[in-house]
Structure formats: structure tokens, C-alpha cells
């Protein structure tokens, strides 16, 4: 019983070391990664070899042999570090045990090597996260069994080996099992705490990104940077935050400092390196701000990237050397990544908007030549038969072209669009004469509402040219503009030639070779997305109907 309590005291030392290891971020990375790096392997080998050697020194001599908790440190080396670390710890601590002497020294040394390598294989098989106290107990029992079997088989004289194991087998086995299980439980508990803290840090970084995203719609500017800095400072424990572009400090928030204000040049020594490499950097000590009493000597610089190129930095300040922990460092880098992604998304949206605007201008530019060609065809028909009429029509055309070729916004009022249609119809009537009747039902309260430019006139032109022109008489064109709920419905209806079902479907699916209608449908989808609708109904020999439904928007 005295032996058991003495060995348990040694296990307490191991438990304390496990606690200290578990609080370290480096050991957590080693436990979480597989295979570990060679530097981490060397560190772990040194730690657990030292633990096993200390356990041997504090062992208890009896019957010419040594009872100790050495196996616990060796097993932990393999479980945390894997087979290579386990084997290295086993060799070092086993050799040390051999040097301590005693008739069980050779068998204990060999058993120590086997135990370390075996524990490493278990780590390789299950991974650290899937290990539990049952597996730890089984590994500890197996290691003690191997050691005791080797001692009884090879230690001489056998009588002394048997006497030693009778006295020490149960206490050493119990202590090894308790120490190994306790070590595993402590490390895993600390790992869970670290993961929980990491999850909270990630959540904090996400919250910062969500609040900062609206401010980045126009990019990283002197207007958006102070708002972002205030959000970061509110959600973190840093002493101050500075946000810069590649030349100047755009915003500063935190501890008052004359030398860390917006508009100051980037005089910090680490800034140039971060902007060149695009990688974060920690700074400790003098940072070159020019104020010898400035307490902001410690912190971290994180780049803001756009298309993988630094467009600015965020500097997080602390007033003490360890003010930014390893976990804080990961969170701050996460903030930088989130904000960089937000910058990229905002830039993408701006480029997308510019592209859509360019496409809209390109589509609108197709209308003018198309409209001009058809209108000139009408006027040309009067040049010989009625020159005076042709002159009058040219004057009307001049007014129309002045509006058509003028620079318009994407959206104009329905009144402006409808006025163009009436000018066009005045020209058309000259050609059709009495055989064309135009009937309109227009809600005048909608004339100040907005619609895309050149959306009505091409449909009227299409109805006249392709629907009514082939008809010898009784040509009727209807134009209806009305409100339905919070939407505007525009209808162009003719009793002309109509279309086949196949041609109507091709037109609806944008597979027609025509320019006017397809152009309008593309622009409606580009401007309104799913909020606009165009329906085409036609029957060959009876006419066609085009109905456009758009949101009701009034000019502010």
C-alpha cells in the first residue's frame, strides 16, 4: 500500500504536466494534426522523455529492482506524438532506465521501447480525437503486461524477479492505468476547451464580418474604414485598431494617440513587408511611431487582400507583450480573411453592375438604327408621290431622333416613352391613311412612373411593321397602360397577320432572329430579374398581343 501511494504521488506530477501541456496551443496543434512536423516531434520527444526519466529517478528501489511510473510518460509520448515520437521516447527513457542498473534493467528497457512504439501505433490507428479512457486503459494494461512478462522471462535470478513482481505488479499496474487514463482525460478536456474557445473566436470574427460587410459596398475608403474599425474594437479585446490603404492610415480607434490617427503616412517598419508578402506579422517593441511614451508597442498586422494583392492592412494593438494570444492571433487573421472576402465580393458586384450597364447601353444602341431604318422606309415612300408630306414627316422624325439619340438614363418616365410612340404613330398614319385606327387607354396617373427607355416604341413598331402592314384594311392598334396592384401593365394589341405557334414560342424563348422584341425581353430581365414579365399571345391571321408587367416605381 505504501508503494501504491508513493507511485500515485509521481502520477500527480504527470497530471500537472498534462494540464500545462493542454493549455498550450502548440501541443493542441500536435494532437490535432497527423503526421506532426519534425520540429514538433523533437519538442514532444524532449518533453515526454524528460517526464519518463524524472519518473525513473523518483522510482522506489525494492528487491534490487526499480518500481516507477516511467511507462506513463512513454505511453503519453506515443499517444500524443505518434509512432516516431513514441519510439524515440521509448529508446531514450529505456536507455536511461538501463543505465540506472538492476537485474531488471534490460527487460525494463526493452519493454519501454515496445510500449512507446505500441502507443504511437494506437495513435496512428485511432487518431487523438477518437481515443477514450477505455483505449487508454487497454494500452496501459498491455504495456504493463509486456514489461512484467519480459521481466519474468529474462530477468535473473528468476526468484528475485518473481518476488519483485508479487510485491510491485498490482501497484505499478494500477498506477500506470490511472496515470495514463488521467493524462488522456486532462488533455482531451483541455482540447475541448481550446476548441470551444476557437469556436467562440470564429463566431466573433464572423459577427465582425457581418456588421462590417455593409460598410464595404464602396470598397476600402476613408468613409468606410472608421466604421469598420469601430466594429472591430467593439467585438475584440485589443487596445486599438488602425485600418490603412497602401499609403495612408484611413482610420484609427482605441487608446488616444497623436501619432496613430487617420491621415498619417505608413511609417511602421513591418508594414512594407506585409504589403509585399500579403502575410500577417506580429510586432513586439518599438514600432517607429515617433512617440517614446506610446504604450502601443505590441500587436499584429493583418493584410487586406483583393484579387490576392494587398490593398490595405489592419493593425491590432496591445499594451503588453502577451496582450494578443495565439488564439487571438487566429481570430484576427480570420477577421482579415473575412473582410478581404467581403472586399472581393463588393468589387465583384461593382464590376457586375458596370457590365450590366454596358450591356444595357449596347442593347439600347441597337434600337436607334433599327427604328431609323424602318421610319426612313416610310418617309421614302412619300418622297416622289408627296414631297410636302415627306418634308413634314422628316420634321417629325427630327424631333424623334433628338429624343432617341439623346443620352438617357436607364429608366425614363412612361410619359416620355409614350410621347415618342405618339410621334412615331403620326408618321405611320401618313402611310396607312384611313386603314389604320389607333385606340389608346392610358392611365394618366402612371405617366410619371418609371420604365426602361425604348421599351414601348419597338413593340408598337413591331406590331405595325410585321402585324398590320401586310393587312389591306381595317387595321386596329390598341395601346393600354394600366395599374394592377403595385405593378404596371403595358399591352400592345393588333389585329394583324399574327404568328404561328412555333414562331411565337421561339420569340418567347429568345430564339427568334428579330431584334426589337428580343432586345426588350433581354433588357427587362437584366433590369428587373424575376420581377418583370412579358407574355406573347398570337394566332395566325388574327393578330398578336404583347403584355409587359413591371414594378410600379415613381420618380423621386
Amino acid at each position: 500500500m505504501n508503494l501504491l501511494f508513493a507511485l500515485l504521488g509521481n502520477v500527480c506530477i504527470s497530471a500537472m504536466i498534462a494540464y500545462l501541456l493542454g493549455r498550450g496551443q502548440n501541443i493542441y496543434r500536435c494532437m490535432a494534426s497527423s503526421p506532426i512536423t519534425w520540429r514538433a516531434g523533437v519538442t514532444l520527444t524532449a518533453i515526454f522523455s524528460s517526464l519518463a526519466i524524472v519518473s525513473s529517478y523518483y522510482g522506489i528501489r525494492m528487491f534490487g529492482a526499480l518500481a516507477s511510473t516511467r511507462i506513463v510518460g512513454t505511453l503519453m509520448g506515443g499517444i500524443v506524438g505518434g509512432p516516431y515520437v513514441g519510439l524515440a521516447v521509448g529508446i531514450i527513457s529505456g536507455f536511461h532506465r538501463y543505465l540506472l542498473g538492476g537485474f531488471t534493467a534490460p527487460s525494463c528497457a526493452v519493454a519501454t521501447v515496445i510500449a512507446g512504439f505500441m502507443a504511437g501505433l494506437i495513435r496512428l490507428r485511432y487518431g487523438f480525437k477518437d481515443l477514450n479512457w477505455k483505449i487508454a486503459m487497454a494500452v496501459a494494461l498491455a504495456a504493463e503486461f509486456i514489461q512484467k512478462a519480459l521481466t519474468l522471462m529474462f530477468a535473473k535470478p528468476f526468484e528475485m524477479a518473481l518476488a519483485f513482481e508479487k510485491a510491485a505488479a498490482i501497484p505499478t499496474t494500477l498506477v500506470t492505468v490511472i496515470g495514463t487514463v488521467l493524462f488522456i482525460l486532462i488533455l482531451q478536456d483541455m482540447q475541448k476547451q481550446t476548441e470551444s474557445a476557437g469556436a467562440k473566436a470564429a463566431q466573433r470574427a464572423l459577427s465582425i464580418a457581418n456588421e462590417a460587410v455593409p460598410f464595404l459596398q464602396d470598397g476600402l475608403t476613408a468613409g468606410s474604414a472608421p466604421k469598420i474599425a469601430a466594429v472591430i474594437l467593439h467585438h475584440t479585446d485589443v487596445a486599438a485598431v488602425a485600418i490603412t490603404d497602401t499609403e495612408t492610415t484611413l482610420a484609427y480607434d482605441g487608446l488616444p494617440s497623436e501619432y496613430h490617427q487617420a491621415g498619417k503616412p505608413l511609417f511602421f517598419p513591418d508594414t512594407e513587408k506585409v504589403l509585399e508578402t500579403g502575410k500577417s506579422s506580429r510586432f513586439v517593441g518599438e514600432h517607429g511611431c515617433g512617440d517614446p511614451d506610446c504604450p502601443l508597442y505590441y500587436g499584429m498586422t493583418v493584410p487586406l487582400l483583393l484579387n490576392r494583392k494587398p490593398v490595405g492592412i489592419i493593425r491590432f494593438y496591445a499594451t503588453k507583450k502577451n496582450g494578443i494570444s495565439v488564439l487571438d492571433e487566429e481570430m484576427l487573421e480570420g477577421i482579415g480573411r473575412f473582410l478581404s472576402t467581403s472586399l472581393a465580393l463588393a468589387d465583384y458586384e461593382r464590376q457586375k453592375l458596370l457590365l450590366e450597364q454596358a450591356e444595357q447601353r449596347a442593347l439600347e444602341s441597337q434600337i436607334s438604327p433599327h427604328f431609323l431604318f424602318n421610319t426612313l422606309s416610310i418617309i421614302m415612300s412619300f418622297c416622289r408621290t408627296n414631297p410636302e408630306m415627306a418634308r413634314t414627316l422628316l420634321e417629325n422624325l427630327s424631333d424623334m431622333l433628338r429624343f432617341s439619340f439623346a443620352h438617357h438614363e436607364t429608366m425614363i418616365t412612361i410619359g416620355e416613352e409614350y410621347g415618342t410612340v405618339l410621334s412615331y404613330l403620326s408618321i405611320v398614319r401618313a402611310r396607312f391613311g384611313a386603314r389604320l385606327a389607333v385606340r389608346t387607354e392610358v392611365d394618366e396617373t402612371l405617366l410619371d412612373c418609371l420604365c426602361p427607355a425604348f421599351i414601348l416604341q419597338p413593340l408598337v413598331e413591331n406590331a405595325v411593321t410585321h402585324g398590320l402592314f401586310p393587312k389591306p384594311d381595317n387595321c386596329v392598334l390598341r395601346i393600354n397602360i394600366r395599374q394592377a396592384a403595385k405593378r404596371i401593365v403595358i399591352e400592345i394589341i393588333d389585329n394583324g397577320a399574327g404568328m404561328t405557334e412555333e414562331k411565337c414560342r421561339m420569340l418567347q424563348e429568345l430564339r427568334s432572329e428579330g431584334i426589337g422584341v428580343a432586345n426588350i425581353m433581354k433588357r427587362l430581365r437584366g433590369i428587373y430579374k424575376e420581377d418583370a414579365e412579358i407574355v406573347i399571345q398570337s394566332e395566325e391571321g388574327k393578330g398578336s398581343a404583347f403584355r409587359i408587367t413591371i414594378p410600379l416605381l415613381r420618380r423621386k
Side-chain angles (χ1 to χ4, degrees):
M1 189 61 69
N2 292 334
L3 176 61
L4 177 62
F5 285 120
L7 294 176
L8 283 175
N10 294 342
V11 168
C12 291
I13 298 176
S14 300
M16 180 184 67
I17 293 175
Y19 175 78
L20 295 176
L21 287 175
R23 292 187 63 86
Q25 294 297 314
N26 291 330
I27 193 70
Y28 168 72
R29 290 195 182 99
C30 292
M31 292 186 296
S33 61
S34 182
I36 63 172
T37 63
W38 69 269
R39 289 185 178 180
V42 170
T43 302
L44 293 176
T45 298
I47 291 173
F48 290 108
S49 296
S50 300
L51 177 61
I53 290 172
V54 169
S55 298
S56 294
Y57 274 124
Y58 282 91
I60 299 173
R61 293 279 183 179
M62 54 188 303
F63 298 100
L66 182 65
S68 70
T69 59
R70 175 190 65 259
I71 291 292
V72 175
T74 307
L75 292 177
M76 286 301 97
I79 288 175
V80 173
Y84 294 112
V85 172
L87 181 61
V89 173
I91 291 174
I92 294 172
S93 57
F95 180 69
H96 173 263
R97 171 64 188 89
Y98 180 78
L99 294 178
L100 293 178
F103 73 98
T104 61
S107 60
C108 288
V110 173
T112 302
V113 175
I114 295 173
F117 187 64
M118 177 184 66
L121 293 177
I122 295 296
R123 154 65 190 263
L124 194 63
R125 170 67 177 81
Y126 291 98
F128 187 83
K129 288 187 176 181
D130 293 332
L131 289 176
N132 53 49
W133 67 270
K134 295 179 181 179
I135 297 175
M137 178 185 291
V139 172
L141 288 172
E144 282 294 336
F145 175 80
I146 292 171
Q147 179 170 274
K148 291 169 179 21
L150 290 176
T151 298
L152 293 174
M153 290 172 61
F154 298 107
K156 304 298 180 182
F158 175 76
E159 291 75 12
M160 291 183 64
L162 182 60
F164 171 74
E165 292 301 342
K166 284 182 178 180
I170 294 178
T172 54
T173 301
L174 283 174
V175 169
T176 298
V177 169
I178 292 172
T180 304
V181 170
L182 187 61
F183 204 105
I184 284 290
L185 292 177
I186 291 175
L187 284 182
Q188 289 190 330
D189 181 67
M190 297 304 299
Q191 181 185 5
K192 290 179 181 178
Q193 292 184 31
T194 303
E195 289 176 343
S196 176
K200 291 179 181 178
Q203 182 62 38
R204 192 185 302 179
L206 185 59
S207 298
I208 291 172
N210 287 336
E211 290 189 30
V213 163
F215 305 134
L216 289 172
Q217 296 303 310
D218 296 325
L220 188 64
T221 65
S224 63
K227 300 174 184 177
I228 298 170
V231 170
I232 294 174
L233 190 67
H234 175 71
H235 286 282
T236 61
D237 298 325
V238 297
V241 176
I243 299 178
T244 79
D245 55 18
T246 56
E247 297 178 355
T248 310
T249 299
L250 298 176
Y252 173 83
D253 201 347
L255 289 180
S257 175
E258 178 184 352
Y259 293 87
H260 298 272
Q261 296 297 327
K264 295 289 185 179
L266 303 186
F267 44 68
F268 308 110
D270 63 316
T271 300
E272 185 175 349
K273 180 181 178 181
V274 173
L275 290 175
E276 286 180 357
T277 63
K279 296 180 179 180
S280 301
S281 173
R282 294 193 67 159
F283 55 89
V284 178
E286 180 66 40
H287 55 47
C289 78
D291 181 5
D293 299 323
C294 178
L296 304 176
Y297 281 173
Y298 312 101
M300 183 175 180
T301 304
V302 177
L304 292 173
L305 306 177
L306 180 60
N307 298 325
R308 298 183 180 180
K309 295 182 179 180
V311 294
I313 59 173
I314 307 178
R315 292 178 66 85
F316 303 93
Y317 294 99
T319 56
K320 52 185 179 180
K321 187 172 183 180
N322 298 320
I324 296 179
S325 67
V326 176
L327 195 60
D328 290 335
E329 181 179 332
E330 294 178 355
M331 180 191 68
L332 299 180
E333 286 188 337
I335 293 172
R337 287 191 295 268
F338 276 127
L339 294 182
S340 295
T341 302
S342 300
L343 279 173
L345 290 174
D347 182 69
Y348 169 77
E349 290 298 328
R350 286 195 299 273
Q351 296 299 327
K352 182 181 177 182
L353 179 60
L354 291 174
L355 178 60
E356 289 177 351
Q357 291 174 345
E359 290 176 347
Q360 291 296 332
R361 287 193 293 269
L363 288 170
E364 290 172 5
S365 69
Q366 293 178 1
I367 292 175
S368 295
H370 186 253
F371 156 76
L372 180 61
F373 175 79
N374 288 317
T375 305
L376 286 176
S377 296
I378 296 173
I379 297 175
M380 286 173 62
S381 66
F382 286 97
C383 286
R384 290 185 179 180
T385 59
N386 193 341
E388 191 65 31
M389 176 65 72
R391 185 179 300 109
T392 301
L393 296 179
L394 282 172
E395 290 177 357
N396 292 333
L397 176 61
S398 175
D399 293 336
M400 292 179 61
L401 291 181
R402 187 177 296 109
F403 176 81
S404 178
F405 293 150
H407 176 74
H408 296 288
E409 298 294 333
T410 302
M411 307 291 285
I412 63 174
T413 65
I414 290 179
E416 292 173 307
E417 184 71 8
Y418 183 58
T420 304
V421 170
L422 294 179
S423 297
Y424 173 75
L425 288 175
S426 67
I427 298 174
V428 170
R429 282 198 182 95
R431 185 174 188 183
F432 275 77
R435 68 189 180 104
L436 174 63
V438 179
R439 299 171 183 172
T440 61
E441 292 184 14
V442 178
D443 185 346
E444 294 187 358
T445 63
L446 301 177
L447 294 180
D448 64 340
C449 293
L450 297 177
C451 69
F454 303 108
I455 193 176
L456 184 57
Q457 183 271 333
L459 288 180
V460 173
E461 181 182 339
N462 182 79
V464 169
T465 305
H466 300 291
L468 298 176
F469 184 71
K471 193 173 181 178
D473 57 10
N474 191 30
C475 299
V476 179
L477 176 67
R478 300 177 185 275
I479 302 175
N480 301 327
I481 302 176
R482 56 187 171 83
Q483 180 177 345
K486 294 184 178 180
R487 303 175 71 79
I488 298 173
V489 179
I490 301 173
E491 294 175 321
I492 308 297
I493 305 170
D494 68 77
N495 66 341
M499 294 178 285
T500 63
E501 184 178 342
E502 175 64 20
K503 187 174 181 180
C504 186
R505 183 169 57 253
M506 290 178 64
L507 193 62
Q508 189 86 49
E509 296 174 356
L510 298 180
R511 293 190 289 121
S512 172
E513 295 180 356
I515 295 176
V517 176
N519 186 303
I520 292 171
M521 294 176 69
K522 289 179 182 178
R523 290 195 295 131
L524 284 174
R525 293 176 183 178
I527 294 172
Y528 295 111
K529 309 305 180 194
E530 303 299 324
D531 290 335
E533 179 185 35
I534 182 167
V535 178
I536 305 172
Q537 295 176 326
S538 185
E539 186 175 349
E540 195 170 10
K542 293 187 177 181
S544 303
F546 292 81
R547 185 175 68 252
I548 295 174
T549 306
I550 59 175
L552 194 158
L553 301 172
R554 296 187 183 275
R555 174 167 287 176
K556 296 179 180 180

